[in-house]
Amino acid sequence: MGHREDLLEGAKRCLLEKGFVRTTARDIVKESGTNLASIGYHYGSKDALLTQAFVELVQEWGEKSGHHPEREDTAGGSVERFHSVWARMLDSFEEYRPVWAASMEVVTQGERVPQLRDLLAQAQTEGRAGLAAMLLGLDEETLDERTVKSVGGFYQALLNGLMVQWLFDPASASTADDLTDGLRRVIEAAGAARRDGAVSP
């Protein structure tokens, strides 16, 4: 690997061990076996490097827990797929707890570092597309912008909220069964409201 890749891998390890705020440029240099000048040359800043490391860690989690057609036996968009996907994601939360803890720090740094905010915004859009594709059982390339923003945004909000619950107290956080039951109840309530003459948005 070259310095760019070494820095990225070193930043990932620092992020998991120390978090975003406590990691210094010297920590990354020591972990990666590179030098301080390499950070600026390849990434522009320590914060940009850590953000890229965070994005890749989340992507690794997504690849591990995400959409694998060969092991899916539920229809895309179905309640069964909803349960299956969330159960799989929740199973991976313990292993990736440091990533979720780091995400709380990363989000709070967005206002301080504009470059960081831009990278996070891009990653957020990509994340929405990935979640929508996974739960709908479709290829990301086939999704239109509205589906990504609405369906993907809905699932992303659910994931972020679940992550916060789980970080605070895994024992009381919602399970896949809880989420699926909640989804069914929301659908039923919306159907009842429509039958009663409520105006749809």
Side-chain angles (χ1 to χ4, degrees), residues 82-182:
F82 180 92
H83 183 278
S84 171
V85 169
W86 287 106
R88 192 165 63 239
M89 286 198 284
L90 281 163
D91 283 345
S92 71
F93 266 33
E94 179 61 42
E95 179 182 356
Y96 283 83
R97 184 184 182 95
V99 177
W100 306 130
S103 72
M104 304 301 287
E105 290 185 294
V106 171
V107 168
T108 63
Q109 299 303 304
E111 289 302 312
R112 184 177 65 82
V113 186
Q115 183 183 12
L116 174 57
R117 184 173 61 244
D118 293 342
L119 287 169
L120 289 175
Q122 180 182 348
Q124 178 170 263
T125 299
E126 293 172 358
R128 286 176 177 171
L131 285 168
M134 181 167 48
L135 282 135
L136 294 175
L138 301 171
D139 291 328
E140 287 187 42
E141 294 75 18
T142 67
L143 300 177
D144 58 62
E145 185 178 347
R146 181 62 183 159
T147 299
V148 171
K149 189 164 186 180
S150 60
V151 177
F154 171 79
Y155 288 130
Q156 191 174 62
L158 194 57
L159 175 60
N160 290 341
L162 185 60
M163 176 187 68
V164 171
Q165 285 185 18
W166 198 88
L167 283 172
F168 283 160
D169 181 21
S172 65
S174 298
T175 64
D177 288 343
D178 295 330
L179 294 175
T180 306
D181 183 50

Side-chain angles (χ1 to χ4, degrees), residues 4 8 12 43 47-57 59 116 119:
R4 182 178 179 83
L8 190 59
K12 287 180 187 178
Y43 292 95
D47 288 340
L49 169 55
L50 284 172
T51 302
Q52 186 61 45
F54 169 72
V55 169
E56 292 210 4
L57 285 169
Q59 288 174 339
L116 174 57
L119 287 169

Side-chain angles (χ1 to χ4, degrees), residues 11-49:
K12 287 180 187 178
R13 291 191 291 272
C14 288
L15 200 56
L16 294 177
E17 290 178 17
K18 293 191 168 189
F20 194 99
V21 175
R22 290 176 54 224
T23 294
T24 67
R26 292 189 182 280
D27 290 331
I28 298 171
V29 167
K30 181 179 178 181
E31 189 66 36
S32 62
T34 59
N35 55 68
L36 286 172
S38 294
I39 294 177
Y41 178 77
H42 289 290
Y43 292 95
S45 70
K46 179 203 73 167
D47 288 340
L49 169 55

Side-chain angles (χ1 to χ4, degrees), residues 176-192:
D177 288 343
D178 295 330
L179 294 175
T180 306
D181 183 50
L183 177 65
R184 286 196 176 102
R185 288 170 179 260
V186 168
I187 292 171
E188 289 170 2

